[in-house]
Amino acid sequence: MTRMAGRAGRVHSSIARLAVILAVLACGWAGGSHQANAQGVFERLVMPGPLIKGHSDLEKKCAACHEPFTRASQSSLCLTCHKDVKLDRETQSGFHGRSLDSRQGECRYCHSDHLGRDADVKGLDRQLFNHALTDFALTGAHANVDCASCHKTGTKHRAAPHTCVACHKSDEPHKGRLGAECAKCHRDDAWRPAKPFDHAATTFPLNGAHAKVSCRTCHIGEIYQDMGKTCVSCHAINDAHLGRYGTRCETCHTSTNWKTLHFKHEVATKFPLRGAHAKVKCAGCHKGDLYSDKLAMTCVSCHKKDDPHKGQLGPRCERCHNEEKWRARVAFDHDLTRFPLVGRHIKVKCASCHKTKAFKDAPRACQACHEDQVHQGRIGNTCASCHSPTGWALWRFNHDRQTRFALTGAHKGVRCHTCHQTRHATKVALPMNCYSCHAKDDAHRGAFGQACEKCHATTSFKQRVRRR
């Protein structure tokens, strides 16, 4: 009886509790302002445990995640909030889209919620997780990278970057200048060395010696884009011409061998290089800019400073010289000058009269070449009045005709210097009276004046002339 009484009491107690619950539910279902409170009381009574911290604000809103008396629509309610997961499942991307179980299964199969504020409902096992089911399979060196290197604390795993530059931006030596497609040149098993790069696919194929040049030789500072394509953009610092010949290096040089020239002066210009000119270096003539500083084609335009004639023979050097050898013996017609070579002058060496290379400096006066050691300037500098180039000793002078003082009588045998005694005389003319020469011989000592010819004749000084 006692057992039956105890069992009956427990039944009555359970029925009483159920009656209370039904009464509360009845009040809620009856409508009115007490419905929400009644539902909240019921849900709190049946809730298996506190929600996680991320869902704590839904603890009084069970309907946000649960539909009463059914579990079929629970996942759809989850995806209403977790739109990113819903998109993954629809597009079959990310872990929830690539994994068949995650894409088709219910969310509650992997995630539970009523485990307390600090519970980890992700259920992620880092050691067993298959990263190949994500959008970024771990291949090559990535397979050994610690998870925390990509998945930063406090961020969702799905927020981890998928591109190379997103992770390696701080280590990227190109500073973004080559874009974000690192896989074009690098592999994921080892960052270096880079993949072979086909430079022919660019606008600057590597030909000749360029094919052997290290990348860093041209791409200084890891600069690959907007590179200059002209020779001077790389070789300006090695330009032996210092920019004088412009920027079109390919006019003379090739990429095969920088020192091998292919420029043909006789074809590309109006000045063929012949003779000694063919051996002259470019800089020998082209002192300035090759394109803006056009050179004249006359000899004197280049050889003016070397002209020993100082321009006195004019600019037409080719009249005497040739391109083969500047100092070669040349034919020159001296008769075309103002000093024709006649007589013994024909045999005289050029240097005897032309003391310098400026040939026109040579004087034409006799005394300039012939030192007057006989007359010593007593009869002036007009040597040609008596002498001829045929022979110095063969002289001719007619005193009677060429002067106003005819030599008569004893004067005919008198030597020139007897009367012309002043050396280096500035004026050869002498007085024509007797006394000017015979004053010292005047026996009268001037008593009879200076008109000696009144009593004397030129035949003999002692012979007196009788005057009537």
Side-chain angles (χ1 to χ4, degrees), residues 4 29 31 42 66 111 135 140 170 174 218 224 230 237 281 330 342 350 366 384 420-421 434 436 464:
M4 293 181 63
W29 291 333
F42 174 74
H66 303 283
H111 307 288
D135 291 337
S170 60
H174 313 304
C218 298
Y224 293 89
T230 60
I237 193 173
K281 293 183 178 180
V330 295
V342 295
C350 303
C366 302
H420 298 281
Q421 297 180 358
C434 303
S436 62
R464 290 180 295 175

Side-chain angles (χ1 to χ4, degrees), residues 100 104 191 214 242 247 364 384 414:
L100 182 61
Q104 296 180 352
W191 191 256
S214 171
L242 302 177
T247 59
R364 289 178 291 161
V414 177

Side-chain angles (χ1 to χ4, degrees), residues 174-298:
H174 313 304
K175 309 301 180 184
R177 288 186 288 262
L178 295 185
E181 298 183 39
C182 307
K184 283 185 175 181
C185 300
H186 301 280
R187 298 184 297 271
D188 58 2
D189 57 342
W191 191 256
R192 293 184 180 180
K195 296 178 183 177
F197 180 74
D198 185 9
H199 218 284
T202 70
T203 55
F204 192 87
L206 298 181
N207 301 319
H210 285 149
K212 302 177 182 179
V213 176
S214 171
C215 303
R216 293 183 177 181
T217 303
C218 298
H219 299 285
I220 301 172
E222 296 290 345
I223 297 176
Y224 293 89
Q225 292 181 332
D226 300 326
M227 294 285 294
K229 299 174 187 176
T230 60
C231 302
V232 293
S233 61
C234 276
H235 298 284
I237 193 173
N238 308 119
D239 181 12
H241 313 302
L242 302 177
R244 294 194 308 268
Y245 296 169
T247 59
R248 294 168 56 189
C249 308
E250 65 278 4
T251 303
C252 301
H253 303 278
T254 66
S255 60
T256 304
N257 188 336
W258 188 256
K259 294 184 178 181
T260 301
L261 306 181
H262 64 85
F263 183 77
K264 294 183 178 181
H265 211 280
E266 64 276 8
V267 175
T269 72
K270 298 179 181 179
F271 191 86
L273 298 180
R274 302 188 183 97
H277 284 149
K279 301 176 183 179
V280 178
K281 293 183 178 180
C282 304
C285 298
H286 297 284
K287 305 295 184 181
D289 187 272
L290 185 64
Y291 296 97
S292 61
D293 187 15
K294 298 297 182 181
L295 297 181
M297 292 185 284
T298 59

